Amino acid sequence: MKVIETDIAVIGAGPAGLAAALEASRLGKQVTLIERSDDLGGILQQCIHDGFGLVRFKKQLSGPQYAERFIEKLKASDVSLLLDTTVLSIENKVIRAVSPREGVLEIRPGAIVLAMGCRERTRSQVEIYGTRPSGVMTAGTVQRYINLEGYLPGRRAVILGSGDIGMIMARRMHLEGIEVLGVYELMPEVGGLARNVYQCLIDYDIPLHLSTTVREVFGKERLEGVRVVKVDKNRRPIEGTEEDIACDLLVLSVGLIPENELSRKAGVLISPVTQGPVLDESMMTSVPGIFAAGNVSIVFDLVDYVSDSAEAAARGAVRYLDGQAPSAEPLDVIAGENVASLLPTQYRVDYVGDELSFYLRVRKMESNVRVTLRQGKRVIKSKKQLVVRPAEMVTLTLSREDLTLIEPDTPLEIHIET
């Protein structure tokens, strides 16, 4: 068994892993980047649509173009790459992995950054009844078939869920000649970004049906059709509203789940709200020396924020290795009025660097609100927001000046205030 010693091991070479590895290397640490695929870039390589990099680079980039900006820098850096390498376990900060080339590996880092990303929910998680024919796929699988493999997985498609990837694939399938019969959404609001509703559905006359879901599928060997039904405000089917639609492809865009099997094996505490690790202000988990970033921590809407969180995790890992680990217990950051999920959820004011960013999602859409960070009755920072939606992440960044207003022994609260 080969043993590798390194300062920082980054697991996952998608947008989070690339950014974390580069930042840690820039700060002078020896970095080993571990990726189970043969290629760098992760899911970005199959995202050929634009819309990436608007925040970070102020440009409309495709997924591969965004990834390439990091990959070019990585190839010029001292980061060690372990591609086609699958991590099996993390125990006491010792990583055990396997690869066809190296066999069994034991990697002994001083710190770890978890950047495994997320995975799609499947049919079994959304209670669709009926047979089990071919032709029922997640949106990411359809994206890979069309964009990377060059296959058309069907001719007549129904999409369940209005997540971003589902709407983007509605447009992509339409452009490739697949008849998209409609996008059906269980909730009364769209699940993805507003821009994708216009650019992917309205611009191509693709119908959107809210408060409607797929109840059943038909077909033996191959999908032959689906039954859709309207739902009430409690998401229960309304009898008498059923409609059967003939199709040979059902595309599921029903949400993402942070990929945290390895995190659990490492003993990391998982938040029941975000389904990612509980993180502090430096993106460190409940296990000292193990950090997390990107969609493994919370599902982000923009890849730019994924990169930002990864760089924050890398800086936290470097500070940890340099002996600047915090000694005091963290205080809570409480999700207040109309805040559904939040990152980070813990902080130590004397351990925060030059700035601290909070990422949050709301429970319901509201207009003309303020995103307010409070400590007791004191307002630490507040900013106007024209509209907030569950599908779109809200950020609030504290500067060094803002951080001086925080008292070290009182929890913080974030609210959406009207």
Side-chain angles (χ1 to χ4, degrees), residues 2 62 65 81 95 102 116 134 192 239 242 268 276 293 308 316 359 364 369 382 413:
K2 183 176 181 180
S62 68
Q65 287 174 324
L81 298 179
I95 299 170
E102 301 289 348
M116 294 87 69
S134 65
E239 298 301 326
E242 297 89 349
V268 167
D308 290 346
Y359 304 91
K364 61 181 180 180
V369 298
S382 182
E413 299 178 11

Side-chain angles (χ1 to χ4, degrees), residues 313-325:
R315 290 191 292 269
V318 169
R319 293 172 67 191
Y320 174 84
L321 290 178
D322 289 344
Q324 300 177 39

Side-chain angles (χ1 to χ4, degrees), residues 169-229:
M169 288 315 297
R171 176 180 62 186
R172 187 78 177 98
M173 289 188 292
H174 173 84
L175 293 173
E176 290 296 336
I178 297 175
E179 184 180 1
V180 181
L181 303 170
V183 175
Y184 294 82
E185 170 58 54
L186 175 70
M187 303 300 289
E189 297 175 355
V190 173
L193 296 171
R195 74 184 188 205
N196 285 329
V197 176
Y198 289 92
Q199 295 175 2
C200 301
L201 302 185
I202 294 175
D203 285 355
Y204 294 91
D205 295 322
I206 296 173
L208 172 64
H209 305 271
L210 300 176
S211 297
T212 311
T213 190
V214 173
R215 190 176 194 179
E216 190 173 353
V217 299
F218 307 106
K220 292 184 179 180
E221 297 298 322
R222 178 73 188 186
L223 180 69
E224 298 174 4
V226 300
R227 177 167 294 163
V228 299
V229 61

Side-chain angles (χ1 to χ4, degrees), residues 21-327:
L22 278 172
E23 181 70 359
S25 178
R26 184 185 69 83
L27 293 173
K29 298 303 179 184
Q30 180 187 16
V31 181
T32 300
L33 179 59
I34 309 167
E35 168 56 44
R36 63 187 176 190
S37 173
D38 288 328
D39 302 310
L40 298 170
I43 199 70
L44 289 176
Q45 299 295 5
Q46 67 186 53
C47 300
I48 64 172
H49 55 278
D50 64 11
F52 299 88
L54 287 170
V55 176
R56 174 171 284 250
F57 298 118
K58 312 301 181 188
K59 290 186 177 181
Q60 289 265 16
L61 303 175
S62 68
Q65 287 174 324
Y66 186 93
E68 195 62 28
R69 293 201 171 205
F70 291 87
I71 292 171
E72 287 178 359
K73 293 180 180 178
L74 193 77
K75 290 179 177 178
S77 73
D78 295 326
V79 174
S80 299
L81 298 179
L82 290 175
L83 299 179
D84 198 16
T85 301
T86 301
V87 175
L88 302 177
S89 66
I90 304 172
E91 187 175 351
N92 296 323
K93 281 197 301 184
V94 175
I95 299 170
R96 287 182 174 83
V98 293
S99 78
R101 179 180 300 177
E102 301 289 348
V104 180
L105 296 169
E106 186 174 279
I107 302 152
R108 295 180 172 272
I112 298 172
V113 177
L114 304 172
M116 294 87 69
C118 58
R119 65 175 183 269
E120 295 175 277
R121 293 183 186 274
T122 62
R123 171 184 170 177
S124 63
Q125 294 167 303
V126 292
E127 298 182 357
I128 298 176
Y129 305 110
T131 53
R132 297 182 61 82
S134 65
V136 180
M137 305 179 188
T138 64
T141 300
V142 174
Q143 185 181 61
R144 182 175 182 87
Y145 274 141
I146 295 176
N147 293 349
L148 292 185
E149 309 296 339
Y151 297 126
L152 290 184
R155 292 294 179 183
R156 287 170 56 86
V158 166
I159 300 175
L160 175 60
S162 59
D164 289 311
I165 187 173
M167 291 191 286
I168 288 166
M169 288 315 297
R171 176 180 62 186
R172 187 78 177 98
M173 289 188 292
H174 173 84
L175 293 173
E176 290 296 336
I178 297 175
E179 184 180 1
V180 181
L181 303 170
V183 175
Y184 294 82
E185 170 58 54
L186 175 70
M187 303 300 289
E189 297 175 355
V190 173
L193 296 171
R195 74 184 188 205
N196 285 329
V197 176
Y198 289 92
Q199 295 175 2
C200 301
L201 302 185
I202 294 175
D203 285 355
Y204 294 91
D205 295 322
I206 296 173
L208 172 64
H209 305 271
L210 300 176
S211 297
T212 311
T213 190
V214 173
R215 190 176 194 179
E216 190 173 353
V217 299
F218 307 106
K220 292 184 179 180
E221 297 298 322
R222 178 73 188 186
L223 180 69
E224 298 174 4
V226 300
R227 177 167 294 163
V228 299
V229 61
K230 294 185 181 298
V231 298
D232 61 22
K233 63 181 180 180
N234 296 314
R235 286 175 270 176
R236 292 180 298 206
I238 301 172
E239 298 301 326
T241 64
E242 297 89 349
E243 179 187 357
D244 291 349
I245 303 172
C247 62
D248 61 357
L249 178 61
L250 173 60
V251 181
L252 303 178
S253 178
V254 290
L256 303 169
I257 304 172
E259 189 90 49
N260 274 297
E261 284 69 25
L262 282 177
S263 308
R264 292 184 176 90
K265 288 181 180 179
V268 167
L269 182 63
I270 302 296
S271 165
V273 177
T274 64
Q275 298 186 48
V278 174
L279 299 178
D280 66 11
E281 72 294 318
S282 63
M283 307 297 281
M284 187 161 69
T285 70
S286 58
V287 178
I290 298 183
F291 299 75
N295 286 345
V296 79
S297 55
I298 190 173
V299 177
F300 288 86
D301 58 346
L302 298 179
V303 70
D304 310 75
Y305 297 152
V306 168
S307 300
D308 290 346
S309 73
E311 290 169 349
R315 290 191 292 269
V318 169
R319 293 172 67 191
Y320 174 84
L321 290 178
D322 289 344
Q324 300 177 39
S327 55

